[in-house]
Amino acid sequence: MTASVSLVGGVLLGLGAALVLGMAAGWRALRRHVVHDAAGWRIARDIGTTATHPLVRIALAPAYPLANEHALYLFADDPHDRAPQWGALRGGGPLFRHLDGSRHYRIVSDRGSLAADWWSVTVYDTAGLMSGPASFCSVLDTGVAPAADGTFVIDIAAACPPGSRNWLAVPLGAPFLIQMRIYGPAPGLVLPRFEEA
Amino acid sequence: MTAFLGAALVTLALTWAAGALAGRVLPARRLRKSLARFPEVIAGPGRLAHVTDHTPFAAVELLYSIALFDLAAGPLCVSIPAYDDHWSLQVLSEDADNVAWRSGRGGEGGRRFVLHSRGDARAVPEGQDVVDVPARGVVVLRWLVRGETDRARVDALRRGATITRA
């Protein structure tokens, strides 16, 4: 084998190995930083620090340049597709699957208020914050109307479901994201569950 | 065979290092790009920009006040006015790493924080909340707003926040 062929072959092998190992590292990073929760959320953990994996840093940077490690960021998990959004690792969008604007989703807390300084739920379209009044696309903890027993349900749908105490509007049939922010989560925090109604 | 394996290993090592470097450089670039939207911020270190519009995936309930800082000339004092709801101070390095955090609710007379460069032997005022940070970075103040009717009040209040030489 001539030297030049050896070198070219070696470079190609090195690039191939880097690709395979990089994908494996990316998968491990996603599993470490994006945790599936039994309550139906994907939780971004340990982001915005020197310990954050480079691939995850790259993926989060476009949408979250000020990523804050002192808040809990929860993204609603699509019940029908739980695979990671690999395109995000190429800088091609968020890490989480969009939800379907033709469906009705709910956030349900069976325990009432959450153990945290404050929290909010916001819906975004594919480009970010939706146009229109903020009260239609986001709700703060003190803005949630509880039931008589203190529990609460937040409905997310294109049309307000009958009897709903808390409703966030989404575009009919269009993809969207739900993000829950929890600042100052306490050790005893129990997450509300996210589900499709 | 030696050349083949050597080329493979060198290529793998260089590619891996490039990926790690990208993980540092790209977030920092994105941070600078996001800050470039605010002329007051990029005009120079130590100038607080009280942001009124949001980045695409920002929190609707938060008002952000942002400043670059450079501690080459010494520590800086960040003063925030008394606020009756949740506030926070986040310090990011130039590489967009979280390096410091303070938060609270209320606080009579407001709060003062001294940004002090790690390794800087210069003295800081006694009794201050000293925040050890890199020599350069970004300060982000967050103010919680409960309802659109309260936004104007909180906006006016937060403009009382200052950054001065300590």
Side-chain angles (χ1 to χ4, degrees):
Chain A
M1 188 185 295
T2 63
S4 57
V5 171
S6 294
L7 283 173
V8 170
V11 169
L12 291 174
L13 176 63
L15 288 174
L19 179 65
V20 170
L21 292 173
M23 288 182 66
W27 175 243
R28 283 199 308 273
L30 282 177
R31 288 172 62 86
R32 179 181 135 207
H33 288 291
V34 180
V35 178
H36 291 269
D37 185 84
W41 301 96
R42 294 193 190 198
I43 305 174
R45 292 194 187 281
D46 299 324
I47 60 172
T49 73
T50 53
T52 307
H53 195 280
L55 289 174
V56 174
R57 289 173 63 90
I58 293 169
L60 287 175
Y64 302 99
L66 304 177
N68 174 10
E69 64 169 339
H70 292 272
L72 205 54
Y73 295 97
L74 284 69
F75 299 86
D77 207 354
D78 182 353
H80 302 279
D81 185 354
R82 294 177 182 267
Q85 182 79 324
W86 286 106
L89 293 177
R90 301 191 304 270
L95 273 171
F96 311 96
R97 294 280 178 193
H98 293 116
L99 299 170
D100 184 349
S102 64
R103 300 178 187 270
H104 172 196
Y105 302 94
R106 293 189 305 203
I107 296 170
V108 180
S109 175
D110 298 325
R111 297 194 179 202
S113 61
L114 307 183
D117 289 345
W118 66 271
W119 57 270
S120 69
V121 177
T122 307
V123 294
Y124 300 91
D125 62 22
T126 54
L129 284 169
M130 294 190 288
S131 57
S135 58
F136 283 6
C137 64
S138 188
V139 63
L140 195 53
D141 51 0
T142 48
V144 172
D149 59 0
T151 62
F152 66 82
V153 175
I154 301 173
D155 292 291
I156 301 111
C160 183
S164 175
R165 292 173 175 265
N166 307 286
W167 169 55
L168 292 176
V170 296
L172 178 63
F176 69 97
L177 291 168
I178 298 173
Q179 183 179 356
M180 185 169 188
R181 289 178 171 80
I182 303 178
Y183 273 62
L189 173 68
V190 176
L191 295 176
R193 87 182 168 267
F194 173 76
E195 60 189 27
E196 186 170 348
Chain B
M1 182 57 73
T2 303
F4 176 79
L5 289 176
L9 288 172
V10 169
T11 302
L12 175 60
L14 289 175
T15 307
W16 202 260
L21 184 62
R24 309 298 304 167
V25 169
L26 292 180
R29 263 197 200 163
R30 173 54 63 167
L31 177 61
R32 284 194 292 276
K33 184 177 177 180
S34 68
L35 295 179
R37 299 170 64 233
F38 310 114
E40 315 95 299
V41 174
I42 62 175
R47 299 182 61 163
L48 263 177
H50 302 290
V51 176
T52 52
D53 60 346
H54 291 95
T55 53
F57 293 94
V60 172
E61 297 82 12
L62 292 174
L63 284 175
Y64 297 81
S65 300
I66 305 172
L68 297 171
F69 67 84
D70 187 335
L71 303 180
L76 290 173
C77 179
V78 180
S79 298
I80 64 173
Y83 180 49
D84 55 4
D85 210 319
H86 292 287
W87 56 266
S88 65
L89 175 147
Q90 176 193 25
V91 181
L92 296 161
S93 70
E94 287 185 300
D95 295 333
D97 294 322
N98 282 255
V99 295
W101 175 263
R102 298 287 192 274
S103 66
R105 177 173 185 153
E108 289 188 14
R111 294 290 300 271
R112 290 165 56 88
F113 307 95
V114 175
L115 302 184
H116 182 263
S117 179
R118 293 165 185 160
D120 187 347
R122 281 173 281 200
V124 297
E126 289 280 332
Q128 300 289 338
D129 186 344
V130 178
V131 187
D132 281 326
V133 296
R136 286 180 299 279
V138 181
V139 168
V140 182
L141 303 175
R142 290 176 169 82
W143 317 83
L144 183 64
V145 177
R146 295 194 187 272
E148 287 305 301
T149 55
D150 204 36
R151 189 171 292 268
R153 179 186 74 88
V154 180
D155 183 45
L157 181 145
R158 64 159 173 167
R159 290 174 190 274
T162 60
I163 296 181
T164 55
R165 193 57 63 188

